[in-house]
Amino acid sequence: MNDSGRPLVRVRDLVRHFPIRRGVFGRTVGAIRAVDGVSFDVGRGETLGLVGESGSGKTTAGRTLLRLIEPTSGSIEFDGIDVASMDRAQLRRLRRRAQIVFQDPYGSLNPRLTVGDAIAEVLDVHALARGRRAQRVDELLDIVGLRPEHARRYPHEFSGGQRQRVGIARALAVEPDFIVCDEPVSALDVSVQAQVLNLLWSLQQRLGIAFLFIAHDLAVVRHMSDRIAVMYLGQIVEIGPAAAVVTNPVHPYTRALLSAVPRVRQGRRRPDRIILGGESPDPAAPPPGCPFHPRCNHPLRDVECTLARPPLEIGAPGHTAACIKESPPAGKLVS
């Protein structure tokens, strides 16, 4: 948070639906509800982990709040400024303060540009480092653990981990306050994942950058995050401090995700593995009521779970969950 207590990023009731079109004339016959009413805050220098299985809408949420994808509805504020109403010139200025690191480190780089030119392109677009372009490129490569001579090489000459470091260097070139990390280590080997995670953590400590860290691996998210938000079928079903969500999960879906995390420490009791039945529902035709109820194995699950969408209710301080069978009855709806 800044001095006034205002979050750096404030998202309320964010919705992104993709129309389904059929026929010669492209008639709209429905919509895929990729993000369906998501709300969260990210404070200055904070990392919010956004976790969920494939298809939960977490990547769409991250790209929509930067307006790489246009929102269907909802409000997005960056440092108190309405992002949804920005024109092209204002969005370009926003890019100076808010960046993204993509999941695919190879697909996000132009194969025809050297690494140095790819980073320098960002500096040129925003008219930065005039008169010291090459020096700034070398500085950025050094920050992410690469050498100056790497600037003359092409993306195909690097390993996956090195390419992701280049992607991070490009994001850092504009000295942003906020970076969306869209599954930045999911395409990398496990040993390389640790190196990139440690790099991101050290950069945050050094530069005070806020992260929205998107992943499907709760073990990775726990390592990186101050708070964790769990998404399912386009909705946030639980959000709270990382330690609270991991050690005392409230929502049955969060418990299922945690039970799937491998345990390597000897002598530590592993919780019973929770096996979810069926597949995630079709986001074009979500079930009524709680979106998780068709797969939920909660002992108290009943017809009430199918009647209305449960609100996020406050349990422990800052820890909310959307489950009418677990959330405290005295809880209140999060605005």
Side-chain angles (χ1 to χ4, degrees):
M1 301 289 183
N2 60 16
D3 293 338
S4 66
R6 183 178 62 198
L8 180 63
V9 178
R10 186 177 188 270
V11 177
R12 289 294 178 271
D13 301 319
L14 182 63
V15 172
R16 175 56 192 179
H17 292 174
F18 294 96
I20 301 173
R21 306 185 191 277
R22 290 179 183 162
V24 175
F25 300 103
R27 182 169 58 92
T28 300
V29 296
I32 296 173
R33 302 182 179 186
V35 179
D36 201 21
V38 166
S39 300
F40 59 82
D41 296 334
V42 184
R44 292 181 182 276
E46 180 188 32
T47 298
L48 174 66
L50 193 58
V51 64
E53 60 190 327
S54 297
S56 62
K58 54 191 186 297
T59 289
T60 302
R63 297 189 180 194
T64 302
L65 72 88
L66 294 179
R67 278 190 58 188
L68 298 177
I69 299 173
E70 291 295 325
T72 302
S73 64
S75 67
I76 308 165
E77 292 182 5
F78 185 86
D79 204 8
I81 303 171
D82 182 13
V83 174
S85 64
M86 288 181 175
D87 58 26
R88 293 185 66 180
Q90 292 170 321
L91 276 175
R92 175 168 288 192
R93 290 194 291 271
L94 174 68
R95 305 288 184 242
R96 282 286 314 270
R97 303 187 62 193
Q99 281 285 313
I100 185 169
V101 175
F102 293 99
Q103 177 179 0
D104 181 2
Y106 189 70
S108 62
L109 296 172
N110 187 336
R112 297 183 179 182
L113 293 181
T114 64
V115 161
D117 287 339
I119 297 174
E121 181 181 43
V122 181
L123 300 174
D124 294 340
V125 166
H126 294 281
L128 300 174
R130 289 177 176 175
R132 53 186 301 272
R133 186 174 180 261
Q135 181 182 348
R136 181 57 177 158
V137 169
D138 290 347
E139 290 173 358
L140 289 164
L141 290 173
D142 180 66
I143 287 173
V144 298
L146 297 175
R147 298 190 300 274
E149 55 265 32
H150 286 144
R152 297 185 292 274
R153 298 182 186 178
Y154 289 87
H156 71 270
E157 300 179 75
F158 291 90
S159 67
Q162 288 174 320
R163 285 195 290 261
Q164 196 60 284
R165 289 173 185 266
V166 174
I168 295 170
R170 289 189 70 196
L172 293 175
V174 294
E175 301 179 2
D177 299 311
F178 174 66
I179 297 178
V180 174
C181 297
D182 183 13
E183 303 203 41
V185 298
S186 63
L188 306 179
D189 293 337
V190 174
S191 59
V192 180
Q193 285 184 14
Q195 296 172 17
V196 174
L197 290 174
N198 288 334
L199 171 63
L200 290 170
W201 184 86
S202 64
L203 289 172
Q204 184 180 52
Q205 302 304 304
R206 176 179 173 182
L207 304 174
I209 301 170
F211 290 129
L212 177 65
F213 191 89
I214 299 170
H216 59 266
D217 188 337
L218 257 175
V220 170
V221 172
R222 180 185 184 184
H223 174 77
M224 284 295 300
S225 305
D226 299 299
R227 291 185 301 127
I228 293 175
V230 180
M231 278 192 76
Y232 183 79
L233 206 65
Q235 301 173 25
I236 289 180
V237 296
E238 185 164 357
I239 185 169
V245 171
V246 171
T247 60
N248 188 30
V250 175
H251 199 278
Y253 178 61
T254 309
R255 293 174 181 167
L257 290 179
L258 284 167
S259 76
V261 176
R263 306 286 183 182
V264 296
R265 295 182 182 177
Q266 294 291 332
R268 193 171 183 180
R269 185 180 180 276
R270 178 193 177 98
D272 294 335
R273 183 72 178 269
I274 299 173
I275 307 296
L276 297 178
E279 299 291 332
S280 181
D282 183 358
C290 174
F292 187 61
H293 85 260
R295 304 174 70 192
C296 182
N297 54 10
H298 194 288
L300 298 179
R301 187 190 69 165
D302 57 25
V303 68
E304 185 182 7
C305 299
T306 69
L307 299 179
R309 175 176 167 176
L312 283 169
E313 293 181 329
I314 295 176
H319 190 175
T320 64
C323 178
I324 60 175
K325 301 303 179 181
E326 289 288 349
S327 300
K332 61 180 181 179
L333 182 65
V334 176
S335 61

